[in-house]
Amino acid sequence: MGKRLMNLHMWQWRGYAENHRHPTHLVLHVVAVTLFILAALLIVDGLLSWSISSMAIGVIGLIAALGIERHGQERRPR
């Protein structure tokens, strides 16, 4: 397994230009990453303040961010 992951950064760099050409994919990626970060922060805040509603909104945000990212990946040319 370690050998397979050894050149992961090179594999990512080689395919970056081809995989990130579609403008809609880029916009969806920016939205999804921002939502993911905010949702993760909401979950941490909910854990620290014992707020169930904050944690629930954070989990919903994480699921939405992953759904948006998946939708963006489907729009990518193969």
Side-chain angles (χ1 to χ4, degrees):
M1 185 169 150
K3 188 173 184 179
R4 182 177 178 196
L5 297 177
M6 202 161 80
N7 293 323
L8 179 64
H9 64 285
M10 292 301 292
W11 172 76
Q12 284 280 336
W13 188 252
R14 268 183 280 152
Y16 187 84
E18 181 66 28
N19 295 336
H20 293 90
R21 281 190 301 166
H22 202 280
T24 305
H25 175 257
L26 292 175
V27 170
L28 288 175
H29 189 68
V30 167
V31 170
V33 168
T34 305
L35 180 59
F36 189 89
I37 292 169
L38 290 174
L41 290 174
L42 267 173
I43 291 173
V44 170
D45 176 59
L47 288 172
L48 294 176
S49 65
W50 294 98
S51 171
I52 298 294
S53 61
S54 183
M55 285 188 284
I57 293 170
V59 169
I60 292 168
L62 284 178
I63 293 168
L66 292 174
I68 292 169
E69 188 63 30
R70 181 177 181 192
H71 181 70
Q73 293 295 329
E74 290 172 355
R75 299 182 69 78
R76 215 174 56 170
R78 301 276 174 205

